[in-house]
Protein backbone atom coordinates (compact mmCIF):
# COMPACT_ATOMS: atom_id res chain seq x y z
CA UNK A 1 0.00 0.00 0.00
CA UNK A 2 2.88 2.27 0.95
CA UNK A 3 4.63 1.55 -2.32
CA UNK A 4 1.50 2.56 -4.21
CA UNK A 5 1.00 5.83 -2.32
CA UNK A 6 4.70 6.74 -2.47
CA UNK A 7 4.83 5.79 -6.13
CA UNK A 8 1.76 7.88 -6.77
CA UNK A 9 3.20 11.00 -5.12
CA UNK A 10 6.53 10.55 -6.93
CA UNK A 11 4.62 10.07 -10.20
CA UNK A 12 2.68 13.30 -9.64
CA UNK A 13 5.98 15.09 -8.90
CA UNK A 14 7.44 13.68 -12.09
CA UNK A 15 4.52 14.97 -14.13
CA UNK A 16 4.78 18.47 -12.69
CA UNK A 17 8.58 18.56 -12.79
CA UNK A 18 8.44 18.65 -16.59
CA UNK A 19 10.63 15.52 -16.91
CA UNK A 20 12.00 15.43 -20.45
CA UNK A 21 11.85 11.68 -20.95
CA UNK A 22 8.26 11.56 -19.74
CA UNK A 23 7.12 14.24 -22.15
CA UNK A 24 9.12 12.73 -24.99
CA UNK A 25 7.24 9.46 -24.47
CA UNK A 26 3.87 11.21 -24.22
CA UNK A 27 4.55 13.20 -27.35
CA UNK A 28 5.59 10.14 -29.35
CA UNK A 29 2.51 8.27 -28.14
CA UNK A 30 0.24 11.09 -29.25
CA UNK A 31 2.09 11.42 -32.53
CA UNK A 32 1.83 7.71 -33.34
CA UNK A 33 -1.80 7.37 -32.22
CA UNK A 34 -2.79 10.67 -33.85
CA UNK A 35 -1.22 9.71 -37.19
CA UNK A 36 -2.77 6.23 -37.02
CA UNK A 37 -6.14 7.73 -36.28
CA UNK A 38 -5.87 10.20 -39.13
CA UNK A 39 -5.02 7.36 -41.52
CA UNK A 40 -7.80 5.19 -40.08
CA UNK A 41 -10.27 8.06 -40.57
CA UNK A 42 -9.05 8.68 -44.12
CA UNK A 43 -9.55 5.00 -44.98
CA UNK A 44 -12.38 3.96 -42.65
CA UNK A 45 -14.77 6.88 -43.10
CA UNK A 46 -14.98 6.95 -46.93
CA UNK A 47 -15.03 3.15 -47.06
CA UNK A 48 -17.72 2.99 -44.37
CA UNK A 49 -19.74 5.64 -46.21
CA UNK A 50 -19.38 3.77 -49.49
CA UNK A 51 -20.62 0.50 -48.00
CA UNK A 52 -23.41 2.33 -46.18
CA UNK A 53 -24.70 4.07 -49.31
CA UNK A 54 -24.02 1.62 -52.13
CA UNK A 55 -25.15 -1.94 -52.65
CA UNK A 56 -21.62 -3.14 -53.36
CA UNK A 57 -20.80 -6.78 -54.07
CA UNK A 58 -19.71 -8.78 -50.99
CA UNK A 59 -21.21 -5.99 -48.86
CA UNK A 60 -22.39 -8.14 -45.98
CA UNK A 61 -19.16 -10.18 -45.99
CA UNK A 62 -17.05 -7.00 -45.74
CA UNK A 63 -19.29 -5.55 -43.01
CA UNK A 64 -19.14 -8.79 -41.01
CA UNK A 65 -15.37 -8.98 -41.41
CA UNK A 66 -14.93 -5.37 -40.30
CA UNK A 67 -17.19 -5.94 -37.29
CA UNK A 68 -15.08 -8.94 -36.37
CA UNK A 69 -11.85 -6.97 -36.85
CA UNK A 70 -13.08 -4.40 -34.32
CA UNK A 71 -12.05 -6.93 -31.70
CA UNK A 72 -8.83 -7.97 -33.43
CA UNK A 73 -6.24 -9.06 -30.83
CA UNK A 74 -3.36 -6.55 -31.01
CA UNK A 75 -0.74 -9.27 -30.64
CA UNK A 76 -2.07 -11.00 -33.73
CA UNK A 77 -1.81 -7.73 -35.66
CA UNK A 78 1.70 -7.34 -34.24
CA UNK A 79 2.65 -10.84 -35.31
CA UNK A 80 1.30 -10.52 -38.85
CA UNK A 81 2.86 -7.10 -39.35
CA UNK A 82 6.14 -8.37 -37.89
CA UNK A 83 6.19 -11.15 -40.48
CA UNK A 84 5.35 -8.73 -43.28
CA UNK A 85 7.83 -6.03 -42.24
CA UNK A 86 10.72 -8.20 -41.05
CA UNK A 87 13.76 -8.40 -43.29
CA UNK A 88 12.66 -11.69 -44.90
CA UNK A 89 9.03 -10.52 -45.21
CA UNK A 90 7.35 -9.19 -48.36
CA UNK A 91 7.83 -5.54 -47.25
CA UNK A 92 11.18 -6.11 -45.54
CA UNK A 93 12.89 -3.97 -48.16
CA UNK A 94 11.23 -0.88 -46.68
CA UNK A 95 13.12 -1.37 -43.36
CA UNK A 96 10.11 -0.28 -41.37
CA UNK A 97 10.36 -2.77 -38.51
CA UNK A 98 11.20 -1.12 -35.16
CA UNK A 99 10.34 2.35 -36.40
CA UNK A 100 7.48 4.69 -35.40
CA UNK A 101 6.10 4.15 -38.94
CA UNK A 102 5.60 0.46 -38.20
CA UNK A 103 3.76 1.40 -35.00
CA UNK A 104 1.55 3.80 -36.94
CA UNK A 105 0.73 1.03 -39.43
CA UNK A 106 -0.12 -1.38 -36.61
CA UNK A 107 -2.41 1.12 -34.90
CA UNK A 108 -4.02 2.06 -38.21
CA UNK A 109 -4.86 -1.62 -38.76
CA UNK A 110 -6.46 -1.71 -35.30
CA UNK A 111 -8.39 1.57 -35.60
CA UNK A 112 -9.65 1.33 -39.19
CA UNK A 113 -12.30 -1.38 -38.57
CA UNK A 114 -13.68 0.67 -35.65
CA UNK A 115 -13.91 3.88 -37.68
CA UNK A 116 -15.33 1.91 -40.64
CA UNK A 117 -17.98 0.02 -38.67
CA UNK A 118 -19.13 2.92 -36.50
CA UNK A 119 -19.21 5.33 -39.47
CA UNK A 120 -21.21 2.82 -41.47
CA UNK A 121 -23.65 2.28 -38.59
CA UNK A 122 -24.05 6.06 -38.10
CA UNK A 123 -24.71 6.72 -41.80
CA UNK A 124 -27.12 3.80 -42.15
CA UNK A 125 -29.02 5.15 -39.12
CA UNK A 126 -29.65 8.54 -40.77
CA UNK A 127 -33.38 8.90 -41.41
CA UNK A 128 -34.10 7.95 -45.07
CA UNK A 129 -36.15 11.15 -45.50
CA UNK A 130 -32.89 13.12 -45.30
CA UNK A 131 -31.52 11.34 -48.36
CA UNK A 132 -34.82 11.83 -50.14
CA UNK A 133 -34.75 15.56 -49.28
CA UNK A 134 -31.19 15.98 -50.54
CA UNK A 135 -32.06 14.20 -53.77
CA UNK A 136 -35.20 16.18 -54.48
CA UNK A 137 -33.37 19.44 -53.78
CA UNK A 138 -30.96 18.58 -56.58
CA UNK A 139 -27.98 16.95 -54.87
CA UNK A 140 -25.66 14.87 -57.04
CA UNK A 141 -24.88 11.40 -55.63
CA UNK A 142 -21.62 12.80 -54.20
CA UNK A 143 -23.37 15.79 -52.60
CA UNK A 144 -25.99 13.41 -51.26
CA UNK A 145 -23.25 11.29 -49.64
CA UNK A 146 -21.61 14.36 -48.10
CA UNK A 147 -24.98 15.45 -46.71
CA UNK A 148 -25.53 12.07 -45.10
CA UNK A 149 -22.02 12.08 -43.64
CA UNK A 150 -22.69 15.52 -42.17
CA UNK A 151 -25.98 14.32 -40.70
CA UNK A 152 -24.17 11.34 -39.16
CA UNK A 153 -21.37 13.49 -37.78
CA UNK A 154 -21.96 12.70 -34.09
CA UNK A 155 -21.89 8.96 -34.67
CA UNK A 156 -18.84 9.26 -36.91
CA UNK A 157 -16.98 11.40 -34.37
CA UNK A 158 -17.88 8.87 -31.69
CA UNK A 159 -16.33 6.19 -33.91
CA UNK A 160 -13.14 8.19 -34.32
CA UNK A 161 -12.93 8.83 -30.57
CA UNK A 162 -13.50 5.13 -29.90
CA UNK A 163 -10.70 4.35 -32.37
CA UNK A 164 -8.41 6.70 -30.49
CA UNK A 165 -9.32 5.03 -27.22
CA UNK A 166 -8.44 1.65 -28.68
CA UNK A 167 -5.04 2.58 -30.13
CA UNK A 168 -3.81 4.84 -27.33
CA UNK A 169 -4.29 2.06 -24.77
CA UNK A 170 -2.88 -0.68 -26.94
CA UNK A 171 0.46 -2.32 -26.07
CA UNK A 172 0.90 -5.68 -27.85
CA UNK A 173 1.16 -4.61 -31.48
CA UNK A 174 3.35 -1.52 -30.95
CA UNK A 175 5.69 -3.48 -28.70
CA UNK A 176 6.15 -6.18 -31.33
CA UNK A 177 6.68 -3.94 -34.33
CA UNK A 178 8.16 -0.93 -32.53
CA UNK A 179 10.57 -2.81 -30.31
CA UNK A 180 10.25 -0.33 -27.41
CA UNK A 181 13.55 1.39 -28.26
CA UNK A 182 14.41 4.23 -25.86
CA UNK A 183 14.01 7.73 -27.33
CA UNK A 184 12.79 6.25 -30.61
CA UNK A 185 9.83 3.88 -30.38
CA UNK A 186 9.03 3.95 -26.68
CA UNK A 187 5.45 5.00 -26.06
CA UNK A 188 3.36 5.24 -22.90
CA UNK A 189 1.97 1.72 -22.86
CA UNK A 190 5.23 -0.02 -23.72
CA UNK A 191 7.10 2.08 -21.13
CA UNK A 192 4.59 1.15 -18.44
CA UNK A 193 5.09 -2.55 -19.25
CA UNK A 194 8.88 -2.21 -19.26
CA UNK A 195 9.19 -0.09 -16.11
CA UNK A 196 6.85 -2.40 -14.22
CA UNK A 197 9.02 -5.33 -15.27
CA UNK A 198 12.06 -3.50 -13.93
CA UNK A 199 10.30 -2.68 -10.67
CA UNK A 200 10.61 1.07 -11.40
CA UNK A 201 7.16 2.32 -10.68
CA UNK A 202 7.54 6.14 -10.71
CA UNK A 203 7.60 6.62 -14.47
CA UNK A 204 5.16 3.75 -14.98
CA UNK A 205 2.65 5.31 -12.59
CA UNK A 206 3.11 8.79 -13.98
CA UNK A 207 2.37 7.46 -17.46
CA UNK A 208 -0.48 5.39 -16.04
CA UNK A 209 -2.05 8.57 -14.63
CA UNK A 210 -1.67 10.35 -17.96
CA UNK A 211 -3.07 7.40 -19.89
CA UNK A 212 -6.00 7.14 -17.51
CA UNK A 213 -6.70 10.86 -17.81
CA UNK A 214 -6.57 10.54 -21.58
CA UNK A 215 -8.91 7.59 -21.43
CA UNK A 216 -11.29 9.57 -19.20
CA UNK A 217 -11.26 12.48 -21.63
CA UNK A 218 -11.93 10.11 -24.51
CA UNK A 219 -14.89 8.64 -22.66
CA UNK A 220 -16.26 12.04 -21.76
CA UNK A 221 -15.99 13.03 -25.41
CA UNK A 222 -17.70 9.82 -26.47
CA UNK A 223 -20.54 10.27 -23.99
CA UNK A 224 -21.02 13.90 -25.02
CA UNK A 225 -21.26 12.87 -28.68
CA UNK A 226 -23.71 10.07 -27.90
CA UNK A 227 -25.82 12.41 -25.77
CA UNK A 228 -25.92 15.02 -28.52
CA UNK A 229 -26.95 12.33 -31.00
CA UNK A 230 -29.71 11.09 -28.68
CA UNK A 231 -31.06 14.61 -28.09
CA UNK A 232 -31.31 15.17 -31.83
CA UNK A 233 -32.85 11.78 -32.44
CA UNK A 234 -35.56 12.77 -29.96
CA UNK A 235 -36.21 15.97 -31.89
CA UNK A 236 -36.55 13.92 -35.06
CA UNK A 237 -39.26 11.79 -33.50
CA UNK A 238 -41.35 14.92 -33.02
CA UNK A 239 -40.82 15.92 -36.61
CA UNK B 1 -40.07 28.84 -70.97
CA UNK B 2 -41.47 26.34 -68.47
CA UNK B 3 -41.40 22.60 -68.60
CA UNK B 4 -44.18 20.42 -69.92
CA UNK B 5 -44.44 17.10 -68.12
CA UNK B 6 -45.83 14.18 -70.06
CA UNK B 7 -46.69 10.87 -68.50
CA UNK B 8 -47.13 8.17 -71.12
CA UNK B 9 -48.69 4.79 -70.24
CA UNK B 10 -47.16 4.55 -66.78
CA UNK B 11 -47.46 1.28 -64.87
CA UNK B 12 -46.21 0.58 -61.36
CA UNK B 13 -46.85 -2.36 -59.03
CA UNK B 14 -45.90 -2.84 -55.38
CA UNK B 15 -45.78 -6.27 -53.79
CA UNK B 16 -47.89 -7.79 -56.54
CA UNK B 17 -50.50 -5.01 -56.36
CA UNK B 18 -50.87 -2.72 -59.35
CA UNK B 19 -51.02 0.87 -58.04
CA UNK B 20 -50.58 2.80 -61.28
CA UNK B 21 -52.16 1.42 -64.44
CA UNK B 22 -51.69 2.83 -67.93
CA UNK B 23 -51.60 6.39 -66.67
CA UNK B 24 -51.11 9.09 -69.29
CA UNK B 25 -51.38 12.79 -68.67
CA UNK B 26 -49.81 16.08 -69.71
CA UNK B 27 -49.07 18.81 -67.19
CA UNK B 28 -48.72 22.20 -68.87
CA UNK B 29 -46.20 24.78 -67.63
CA UNK B 30 -47.50 27.26 -65.06
CA UNK B 31 -50.58 25.18 -64.30
CA UNK B 32 -51.92 24.10 -60.94
CA UNK B 33 -53.09 20.51 -60.64
CA UNK B 34 -54.69 18.98 -57.60
CA UNK B 35 -54.72 15.19 -57.53
CA UNK B 36 -57.25 13.62 -55.21
CA UNK B 37 -57.98 10.12 -54.13
CA UNK B 38 -58.20 7.92 -51.05
CA UNK B 39 -55.12 6.73 -49.17
CA UNK B 40 -53.19 4.00 -50.89
CA UNK B 41 -54.67 4.65 -54.34
CA UNK B 42 -51.26 5.36 -55.88
CA UNK B 43 -51.23 9.18 -55.90
CA UNK B 44 -47.92 9.47 -54.04
CA UNK B 45 -46.33 6.76 -56.16
CA UNK B 46 -47.38 8.55 -59.32
CA UNK B 47 -46.02 11.81 -57.94
CA UNK B 48 -42.67 10.21 -57.14
CA UNK B 49 -42.49 8.73 -60.63
CA UNK B 50 -43.35 12.11 -62.21
CA UNK B 51 -40.69 13.81 -60.05
CA UNK B 52 -38.09 11.29 -61.33
CA UNK B 53 -37.56 9.90 -57.84
CA UNK B 54 -38.78 6.48 -58.80
CA UNK B 55 -38.77 4.50 -62.03
CA UNK B 56 -42.01 3.17 -63.49
CA UNK B 57 -42.29 -0.54 -64.34
CA UNK B 58 -43.48 0.49 -67.78
CA UNK B 59 -44.15 3.72 -69.60
CA UNK B 60 -42.30 6.96 -70.01
CA UNK B 61 -41.93 10.23 -68.12
CA UNK B 62 -41.06 12.96 -70.60
CA UNK B 63 -40.14 16.57 -70.08
CA UNK B 64 -40.44 19.04 -72.92
CA UNK B 65 -39.16 22.55 -73.25
CA UNK B 66 -40.98 24.42 -76.03
CA UNK B 67 -41.93 21.07 -77.53
CA UNK B 68 -38.39 19.70 -77.44
CA UNK B 69 -37.69 16.69 -75.21
CA UNK B 70 -35.07 17.13 -72.47
CA UNK B 71 -32.66 14.49 -71.20
CA UNK B 72 -33.50 13.38 -67.66
CA UNK B 73 -30.07 14.35 -66.30
CA UNK B 74 -29.11 16.23 -63.13
CA UNK B 75 -29.82 19.58 -64.81
CA UNK B 76 -33.40 18.56 -65.48
CA UNK B 77 -33.78 17.04 -62.01
CA UNK B 78 -32.67 20.36 -60.56
CA UNK B 79 -35.66 22.04 -62.21
CA UNK B 80 -38.05 19.84 -60.21
CA UNK B 81 -38.53 19.45 -56.49
CA UNK B 82 -40.91 17.72 -54.18
CA UNK B 83 -42.15 18.46 -50.67
CA UNK B 84 -42.92 15.26 -48.80
CA UNK B 85 -45.39 14.75 -45.94
CA UNK B 86 -42.36 14.09 -43.72
CA UNK B 87 -39.91 16.87 -44.44
CA UNK B 88 -36.35 15.60 -44.12
CA UNK B 89 -34.90 18.40 -42.05
CA UNK B 90 -31.12 18.81 -42.06
CA UNK B 91 -29.55 19.13 -38.64
CA UNK B 92 -28.67 22.80 -38.92
CA UNK B 93 -30.41 26.17 -38.76
CA UNK B 94 -33.63 27.05 -40.56
CA UNK B 95 -31.80 29.44 -42.92
CA UNK B 96 -29.13 26.87 -43.81
CA UNK B 97 -31.85 24.33 -44.57
CA UNK B 98 -33.42 26.75 -47.04
CA UNK B 99 -30.00 27.57 -48.48
CA UNK B 100 -29.16 23.88 -49.09
CA UNK B 101 -30.51 23.61 -52.63
CA UNK B 102 -28.80 26.87 -53.59
CA UNK B 103 -25.51 25.89 -52.02
CA UNK B 104 -25.27 22.64 -53.96
CA UNK B 105 -25.99 24.60 -57.16
CA UNK B 106 -23.13 26.97 -56.39
CA UNK B 107 -25.37 30.06 -56.24
CA UNK B 108 -23.44 33.20 -55.23
CA UNK B 109 -23.66 34.12 -51.57
CA UNK B 110 -25.47 37.44 -51.99
CA UNK B 111 -28.10 35.93 -54.27
CA UNK B 112 -28.42 32.95 -51.95
CA UNK B 113 -29.04 35.24 -49.01
CA UNK B 114 -31.73 37.17 -50.90
CA UNK B 115 -33.51 34.01 -52.05
CA UNK B 116 -33.40 32.47 -48.59
CA UNK B 117 -34.79 35.68 -47.08
CA UNK B 118 -37.64 35.92 -49.56
CA UNK B 119 -38.55 32.20 -49.22
CA UNK B 120 -38.58 32.51 -45.42
CA UNK B 121 -40.66 35.65 -45.61
CA UNK B 122 -43.14 33.95 -47.89
CA UNK B 123 -43.77 31.13 -45.39
CA UNK B 124 -43.48 33.54 -42.44
CA UNK B 125 -40.46 31.94 -40.82
CA UNK B 126 -38.07 34.91 -40.97
CA UNK B 127 -38.06 35.21 -37.18
CA UNK B 128 -36.86 31.59 -36.89
CA UNK B 129 -34.02 31.81 -39.39
CA UNK B 130 -31.22 31.20 -36.87
CA UNK B 131 -33.13 28.58 -34.90
CA UNK B 132 -32.17 24.93 -35.21
CA UNK B 133 -34.56 23.39 -37.71
CA UNK B 134 -35.10 20.26 -35.61
CA UNK B 135 -36.73 22.33 -32.88
CA UNK B 136 -39.56 23.58 -35.14
CA UNK B 137 -43.11 22.33 -34.70
CA UNK B 138 -44.50 19.98 -37.35
CA UNK B 139 -46.43 22.81 -39.01
CA UNK B 140 -43.38 25.05 -39.09
CA UNK B 141 -41.33 22.14 -40.41
CA UNK B 142 -43.73 21.77 -43.32
CA UNK B 143 -43.47 25.52 -44.00
CA UNK B 144 -39.68 25.13 -43.93
CA UNK B 145 -39.95 22.28 -46.44
CA UNK B 146 -42.01 24.51 -48.71
CA UNK B 147 -39.56 27.42 -48.36
CA UNK B 148 -36.66 25.10 -49.13
CA UNK B 149 -38.37 23.93 -52.30
CA UNK B 150 -39.36 27.43 -53.39
CA UNK B 151 -35.88 28.88 -52.81
CA UNK B 152 -34.47 26.84 -55.67
CA UNK B 153 -37.13 28.35 -57.98
CA UNK B 154 -38.15 25.08 -59.63
CA UNK B 155 -40.13 24.76 -62.83
CA UNK B 156 -42.32 22.11 -61.25
CA UNK B 157 -43.11 21.84 -57.54
CA UNK B 158 -44.64 18.56 -56.38
CA UNK B 159 -46.40 18.50 -53.03
CA UNK B 160 -47.46 15.27 -51.42
CA UNK B 161 -50.15 15.83 -48.78
CA UNK B 162 -48.64 19.13 -47.63
CA UNK B 163 -51.05 19.69 -44.74
CA UNK B 164 -51.96 16.18 -43.60
CA UNK B 165 -50.58 16.23 -40.07
CA UNK B 166 -50.55 19.93 -39.24
CA UNK B 167 -52.83 22.34 -37.44
CA UNK B 168 -55.30 24.80 -38.93
CA UNK B 169 -53.11 27.90 -38.55
CA UNK B 170 -50.17 26.32 -40.38
CA UNK B 171 -52.47 24.82 -43.01
CA UNK B 172 -53.84 28.29 -43.66
CA UNK B 173 -50.36 29.77 -44.19
CA UNK B 174 -49.36 26.94 -46.53
CA UNK B 175 -52.54 27.23 -48.56
CA UNK B 176 -52.08 31.00 -48.84
CA UNK B 177 -48.54 30.53 -50.14
CA UNK B 178 -49.65 27.88 -52.61
CA UNK B 179 -52.55 30.00 -53.88
CA UNK B 180 -50.17 32.90 -54.41
CA UNK B 181 -47.74 30.71 -56.36
CA UNK B 182 -50.63 29.32 -58.35
CA UNK B 183 -51.78 32.84 -59.30
CA UNK B 184 -48.25 33.87 -60.33
CA UNK B 185 -48.15 30.97 -62.83
CA UNK B 186 -44.36 31.02 -62.81
CA UNK B 187 -44.14 27.37 -61.92
CA UNK B 188 -46.22 24.24 -62.27
CA UNK B 189 -47.83 23.10 -59.04
CA UNK B 190 -48.85 19.48 -58.67
CA UNK B 191 -50.51 18.87 -55.32
CA UNK B 192 -51.66 15.54 -53.98
CA UNK B 193 -54.29 15.64 -51.28
CA UNK B 194 -57.10 13.52 -49.94
CA UNK B 195 -58.85 16.56 -48.45
CA UNK B 196 -61.73 17.54 -50.77
CA UNK B 197 -62.32 20.88 -49.02
CA UNK B 198 -58.69 21.79 -49.49
CA UNK B 199 -58.75 20.75 -53.15
CA UNK B 200 -61.71 23.06 -53.66
CA UNK B 201 -59.76 25.98 -52.19
CA UNK B 202 -57.16 25.73 -54.95
CA UNK B 203 -58.26 27.15 -58.25
CA UNK B 204 -56.34 24.57 -60.22
CA UNK B 205 -57.43 21.66 -62.34
CA UNK B 206 -58.89 18.91 -60.23
CA UNK B 207 -57.87 15.35 -61.06
CA UNK B 208 -58.84 12.07 -59.49
CA UNK B 209 -56.88 8.89 -59.18
CA UNK B 210 -59.17 6.06 -60.22
CA UNK B 211 -58.09 2.47 -60.89
CA UNK B 212 -54.49 3.61 -61.04
CA UNK B 213 -55.15 6.29 -63.64
CA UNK B 214 -55.73 10.04 -63.62
CA UNK B 215 -59.23 11.14 -64.60
CA UNK B 216 -61.02 14.50 -64.66
CA UNK B 217 -64.07 13.29 -62.77
CA UNK B 218 -65.11 10.36 -60.68
Amino acid sequence: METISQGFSRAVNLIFSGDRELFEIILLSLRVSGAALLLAALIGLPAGALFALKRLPLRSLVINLMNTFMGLPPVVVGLVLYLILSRSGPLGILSLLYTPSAMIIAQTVLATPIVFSLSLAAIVAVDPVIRQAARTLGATPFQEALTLIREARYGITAGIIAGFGRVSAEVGAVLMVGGNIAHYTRVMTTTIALETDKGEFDLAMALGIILLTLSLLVNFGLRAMQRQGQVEARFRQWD
Amino acid sequence: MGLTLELAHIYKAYGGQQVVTDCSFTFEPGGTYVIMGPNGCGKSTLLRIAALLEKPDQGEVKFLNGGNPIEPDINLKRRLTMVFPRVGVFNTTVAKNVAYGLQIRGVAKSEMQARVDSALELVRLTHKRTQRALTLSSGETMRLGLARGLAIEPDILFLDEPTTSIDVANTKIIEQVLRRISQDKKLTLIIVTHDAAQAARFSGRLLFMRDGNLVDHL
Side-chain angles (χ1 to χ4, degrees):
Chain A
M1 194 64 204
E2 204 185 343
T3 320
I4 294 175
S5 63
Q6 277 175 0
F8 184 78
S9 83
R10 282 204 297 269
V12 172
N13 281 338
L14 200 63
I15 293 168
F16 288 102
S17 69
D19 182 76
R20 211 178 141 207
E21 190 190 359
L22 176 81
F23 282 92
E24 194 183 87
I25 292 167
I26 296 170
L27 217 65
L28 180 68
S29 305
L30 293 177
R31 202 159 61 86
V32 168
S33 298
L37 202 65
L38 186 70
L39 284 173
L42 287 175
I43 303 164
L45 173 55
L50 201 68
F51 277 90
L53 301 171
K54 293 255 177 214
R55 302 273 136 204
L56 296 176
L58 304 175
R59 184 176 183 266
S60 65
L61 177 73
V62 172
I63 293 172
N64 277 329
L65 270 178
M66 282 297 184
N67 281 332
T68 310
F69 288 166
M70 278 170 82
L72 212 56
V75 282
V76 174
V77 173
L79 171 67
V80 173
L81 276 179
Y82 184 93
L83 294 173
I84 292 171
L85 299 176
S86 64
R87 229 168 253 293
S88 53
L91 295 180
I93 197 160
L94 299 173
S95 302
L96 287 175
L97 198 62
Y98 301 139
T99 65
S101 301
M103 296 156 75
I104 291 171
I105 295 170
Q107 293 201 343
T108 305
V109 172
L110 288 169
T112 302
I114 297 176
V115 178
F116 174 94
S117 299
L118 297 185
S119 297
L120 182 135
I123 295 168
V124 166
V126 172
D127 194 330
V129 294
I130 297 289
R131 193 173 191 178
Q132 190 172 255
R135 195 171 294 173
T136 191
L137 288 166
T140 60
F142 182 65
Q143 287 169 330
E144 202 178 294
L146 288 183
T147 305
L148 292 179
I149 289 172
R150 201 177 51 209
E151 290 298 313
R153 59 190 177 271
Y154 295 113
I156 291 170
T157 315
I160 292 174
I161 294 174
F164 186 73
R166 162 104 156 134
V167 294
S168 62
E170 182 280 322
V171 58
V174 283
L175 187 66
M176 289 167 84
V177 299
N180 202 16
I181 302 164
H183 309 295
Y184 187 49
T185 58
R186 191 161 291 176
V187 288
M188 287 196 272
T189 51
T190 57
T191 311
I192 293 172
L194 178 75
E195 296 292 305
T196 308
D197 255 4
K198 285 175 11 192
E200 302 275 348
F201 298 112
D202 298 1
L203 185 59
M205 282 189 83
L207 288 169
I209 292 167
I210 306 242
L211 207 55
L212 212 60
T213 312
L214 202 68
S215 179
L216 263 172
L217 288 174
V218 165
N219 272 302
F220 280 142
L222 204 61
R223 284 284 304 140
M225 284 296 151
Q226 282 167 343
R227 252 200 316 271
Q228 188 63 31
Q230 279 163 3
V231 167
E232 282 165 13
R234 219 169 300 139
F235 275 129
R236 283 214 185 279
Q237 283 170 4
W238 297 343
D239 170 7
Chain B
M1 190 167 289
L3 284 177
T4 302
L5 161 59
E6 260 184 40
L7 302 177
H9 308 290
I10 304 288
Y11 285 83
K12 184 79 183 179
Y14 273 123
Q17 198 191 338
Q18 198 69 38
V19 283
V20 182
T21 312
D22 195 22
C23 179
S24 298
F25 196 82
T26 302
F27 298 89
E28 298 295 343
T32 296
Y33 300 86
V34 184
I35 302 174
M36 281 199 61
N39 289 337
C41 71
K43 325 183 280 293
S44 299
T45 305
L46 185 68
L47 206 64
R48 292 174 59 84
I49 291 170
L52 298 178
L53 293 166
E54 212 167 299
K55 284 196 165 66
D57 294 338
Q58 273 181 63
E60 214 184 336
V61 181
K62 283 187 277 189
F63 289 87
L64 310 165
N65 200 357
N68 302 314
I70 304 174
E71 277 293 301
D73 58 9
I74 185 76
N75 293 319
L76 169 64
K77 285 178 184 168
R78 285 186 166 181
R79 296 174 70 179
L80 325 168
T81 195
M82 182 156 166
V83 180
F84 298 92
R86 262 190 80 217
V87 177
V89 165
F90 303 121
N91 185 6
T92 181
T93 64
V94 168
K96 283 187 180 159
N97 259 276
V98 180
Y100 180 86
L102 305 172
Q103 227 161 17
I104 58 175
R105 283 167 177 75
V107 172
K109 210 170 174 185
S110 56
E111 192 192 336
M112 186 154 70
Q113 191 104 23
R115 279 162 74 171
V116 169
D117 287 347
S118 90
L120 284 176
E121 200 186 319
L122 199 64
V123 300
R124 296 190 223 165
L125 277 179
T126 306
H127 61 295
K128 303 245 171 173
R129 60 172 301 135
T130 55
Q131 194 171 314
R132 288 202 85 76
L134 286 170
T135 61
L136 297 180
S137 71
S138 54
E140 288 168 337
T141 302
M142 183 50 78
R143 278 151 63 193
L144 168 64
L146 184 56
R148 204 166 58 173
L150 290 173
I152 61 174
E153 297 176 357
D155 285 65
I156 306 177
L157 176 63
F158 299 89
L159 294 122
D160 188 5
E161 305 275 10
T163 58
T164 295
S165 56
I166 62 177
D167 59 23
V168 179
N170 280 295
T171 300
K172 214 169 153 186
I173 295 174
I174 288 169
E175 285 184 3
Q176 274 170 3
V177 174
L178 293 178
R179 272 201 301 272
R180 198 166 142 187
I181 299 167
S182 170
Q183 280 158 12
D184 287 350
K185 296 193 184 300
K186 282 186 191 150
L187 58 89
T188 313
L189 262 183
I190 304 176
I191 308 165
V192 154
T193 181
H194 65 265
D195 180 351
Q198 180 174 62
R201 288 194 288 273
F202 293 117
S203 54
R205 182 166 168 190
L206 200 56
L207 301 165
F208 298 91
M209 195 88 189
R210 195 182 61 189
D211 302 329
N213 202 348
L214 282 179
V215 292
D216 270 312
H217 47 78
L218 283 172

